[in-house]
Amino acid sequence: PGFIPEIMPIVSVMCNFINFVITFPFLLLILMLSDISLSFSIFLVPLILLIQFIFTLSLSYFIAAVNVIFRDTEQILVVLMQIWFFLSPIFYNVDIIPLKYKYIYNLNPLVHLFEAYRTLIMQGKIPNFYALGIIIFCSITLLFFSVKLFTHMRFQFVEEL
């Protein structure tokens, strides 16, 4: 009947996931009020959400395990997240990236997730499932190893804290 540390990354990701799911209908309402027509491709958004959830969860387990050993992980992570934010196509279109940098730019998994959302919601088309398939494969693989690392290191958590 003790505390199960493996639940913490899931709770953290689920809280943000639920927040996203609650606010998503407001985004759809704003789009409809802006005369942007929604197509049936909108029903594929939960699939992209699932891929994003697994990707985020896999990173969360890894970061949670590393954070116990390396105390400066939080400060480093804040800087890395800000850099990653600007390297992801949130407020700009991927088409502005020069062709000679596209290959490197496409290594960013968020590029494909955000483009999938944009393609489904704004354009009403089917996204690039090849890229999303690679992301889901890598995410599940990372999730497997991250959970193993987290479970292996869980006994060090109390000692380090």
Side-chain angles (χ1 to χ4, degrees):
F3 177 73
I4 304 170
E6 284 85 356
I7 200 78
M8 291 308 294
I10 295 172
V11 169
S12 177
V13 174
M14 279 300 291
C15 287
N16 288 299
F17 180 75
I18 290 169
N19 185 23
F20 183 83
V21 169
I22 290 171
T23 58
F24 188 71
F26 293 107
L27 171 67
L28 296 178
L29 180 65
I30 291 170
L31 290 174
M32 289 187 298
L33 292 174
S34 302
D35 289 333
I36 295 177
S37 61
L38 301 174
S39 71
F40 284 106
S41 65
I42 198 82
F43 293 111
L44 290 175
V45 168
L47 178 63
I48 308 303
L49 278 171
L50 178 65
I51 295 170
Q52 181 180 343
F53 179 81
I54 294 170
F55 174 72
T56 306
L57 188 61
S58 65
L59 290 179
S60 297
Y61 270 107
F62 179 77
I63 292 168
V66 170
N67 190 39
V68 174
I69 295 173
F70 301 110
R71 293 292 182 179
D72 292 335
T73 303
E74 184 179 351
Q75 287 77 21
I76 293 168
L77 191 60
V78 168
V79 173
L80 290 177
M81 292 294 287
Q82 191 166 19
I83 292 169
W84 200 7
F85 174 81
F86 288 112
L87 291 176
S88 300
I90 297 171
F91 296 112
Y92 59 88
N93 198 321
V94 175
D95 297 334
I96 69 166
I97 305 299
L99 281 176
K100 63 182 178 178
Y101 300 117
K102 270 273 180 73
Y103 178 75
I104 296 169
Y105 187 74
N106 283 331
L107 293 175
N108 179 356
L110 292 184
V111 167
H112 304 290
L113 285 171
F114 294 153
E115 280 300 303
Y117 283 120
R118 188 175 287 130
T119 302
L120 286 171
I121 297 168
M122 302 296 288
Q123 299 170 2
K125 297 179 182 173
I126 303 298
N128 180 356
F129 278 110
Y130 178 75
L132 294 173
I134 292 172
I135 293 170
I136 193 69
F137 174 78
C138 293
S139 296
I140 290 172
T141 304
L142 180 61
L143 181 61
F144 175 77
F145 288 111
S146 295
V147 170
K148 283 185 101 43
L149 175 67
F150 188 92
T151 305
H152 176 72
M153 296 183 66
R154 72 179 271 197
F155 299 108
Q156 297 176 3
F157 292 172
V158 175
E159 293 173 10
E160 292 293 328
L161 294 175

